[in-house]
Amino acid sequence: MKKYFYFASVLLLFTSCTKELTFETQSFNEKSSVPCKKDCPEIKIMVPIAQNIEVVADSINNKVLNTIREIVYFGEKPYDVSDYDGLAKAFMGSYEDMKKTYPEETLGWMADIKGDIEHQSEQILNIKIEHTTYTGGAHGYHGFRSLLFDPETGKTIENDALFTDKAAFTAFAEKEFRKKYQIPENSEINASGLMFEGDKFQLALNIFFTKQGLLLYYNSYEVASYADGPKEIVFPYETVKKYLKYQ
């Protein structure tokens, strides 16, 4: 009996140690019950759901859900929901409430959210969220979010933790950014019409680990007007690996 218990314990330990973090893409859709002929309101969400290692998966899935909650809402704060079905229904409910107040409104709301695994290694996991939303006005909004995780723990990796020397990398990135967008070294960073806060170059809020290299992505409105569009710059890994803690 003792031998059997020992064998079962070892087998359980071996099984838990060989589990790998996996992802399953799941889709969530919701349409309005309000009759319409065109531009019918709809929300579509497609995201990778982490599985197989419960604690790690829960941490990643909660972060992704909370991020999408910050993207898809109408009002003063994100919807108080705990899953994607609830989020989709809440968004459509806001539209239907608006329609009751303003029945003459003809353009339907929309939200299209797509999450993908941009990069996955033993050191870092990068989930990219592409989002397009419209809740009235002259135009909608399209952008990207980058979520970085430790694949062993599922904990978020903040941008500041990516670099061995953030100041040195920032100086390098600014030099290359000025070259790409033809901003003279002796002029202010906003001299060509950009809108960096305090007229000082800053790293992007969204940093991606792509096949081409490390991508700094500035969404519309972050450092430039909507008309000027997003700004981005990619650094081949060979040129920035000395600055990076993760590969």
Side-chain angles (χ1 to χ4, degrees):
M1 186 65 178
K2 288 183 178 180
K3 289 183 179 180
Y4 173 78
F5 178 75
Y6 173 77
F7 175 76
S9 299
V10 171
L11 180 62
L12 179 62
L13 178 62
F14 175 77
T15 301
S16 62
C17 289
T18 56
K19 278 188 176 182
E20 293 184 1
L21 186 67
T22 60
F23 291 87
E24 178 186 28
T25 299
Q26 296 185 12
S27 297
F28 307 86
N29 293 58
E30 188 76 21
K31 295 183 178 181
S32 173
S33 59
V34 176
C36 71
K37 295 182 179 179
K38 64 176 183 177
D39 298 320
C40 297
E42 182 178 13
I43 177 172
K44 297 184 290 184
I45 302 172
M46 185 169 67
V47 287
I49 304 296
Q51 299 178 331
N52 214 33
I53 306 178
E54 187 173 357
V55 175
V56 176
D58 285 348
S59 179
I60 293 171
N61 292 335
N62 287 335
K63 178 64 176 181
V64 174
L65 173 60
N66 287 332
T67 299
I68 295 177
R69 283 175 63 240
E70 294 173 0
I71 296 170
V72 180
Y73 74 94
F74 182 79
E76 296 181 356
K77 60 182 180 179
Y79 300 117
D80 185 17
V81 295
S82 58
D83 56 38
Y84 292 106
D85 282 326
L87 177 59
K89 286 180 170 57
F91 179 77
M92 206 52 62
S94 291
Y95 167 77
E96 293 177 354
D97 289 342
M98 181 278 301
K99 190 69 173 175
K100 291 176 183 177
T101 306
Y102 304 100
E104 72 282 359
E105 180 68 40
T106 58
L107 295 177
W109 291 6
M110 64 82 66
D112 191 353
I113 313 298
K114 183 179 180 182
D116 287 303
I117 306 299
E118 183 71 14
H119 177 83
Q120 186 174 12
S121 70
E122 293 182 355
Q123 294 183 322
I124 195 165
L125 167 70
N126 188 188
I127 294 180
K128 177 180 71 175
I129 298 176
E130 180 178 4
H131 54 94
T132 304
T133 56
Y134 176 78
T135 56
H139 53 73
Y141 183 79
H142 178 262
F144 294 91
R145 293 280 190 96
S146 176
L147 301 180
L148 301 166
F149 301 95
D150 181 334
E152 292 294 321
T153 64
K155 293 182 179 180
T156 298
I157 297 176
E158 302 295 342
N159 287 352
D160 287 352
L162 294 175
F163 306 105
T164 56
D165 187 336
K166 182 184 175 184
F169 175 74
T170 301
F172 168 80
E174 178 175 0
K175 184 177 180 180
E176 297 303 311
F177 186 92
R178 284 176 177 270
K179 287 181 182 178
K180 177 174 181 178
Y181 290 102
Q182 299 180 341
I183 306 170
E185 289 186 19
N186 59 352
S187 67
E188 301 293 343
I189 192 70
N190 292 339
S192 62
L194 295 177
M195 302 184 301
F196 280 96
E197 185 177 356
D199 212 357
K200 182 179 179 182
F201 178 82
Q202 298 172 1
L203 297 182
L205 296 175
N206 294 284
I207 300 176
F208 294 89
F209 285 73
T210 73
K211 292 180 181 179
Q212 293 73 31
L214 192 73
L215 167 64
L216 304 188
Y217 191 87
Y218 301 85
N219 285 293
S220 297
Y221 297 121
E222 290 181 351
V223 298
S225 67
Y226 181 85
D228 288 334
K231 304 298 178 185
E232 62 180 79
I233 185 167
V234 179
F235 304 106
Y237 290 117
E238 284 300 313
T239 66
V240 296
K241 64 181 181 180
K242 65 181 179 180
Y243 302 112
L244 295 176
K245 290 182 182 178
Y246 305 89
Q247 299 288 334

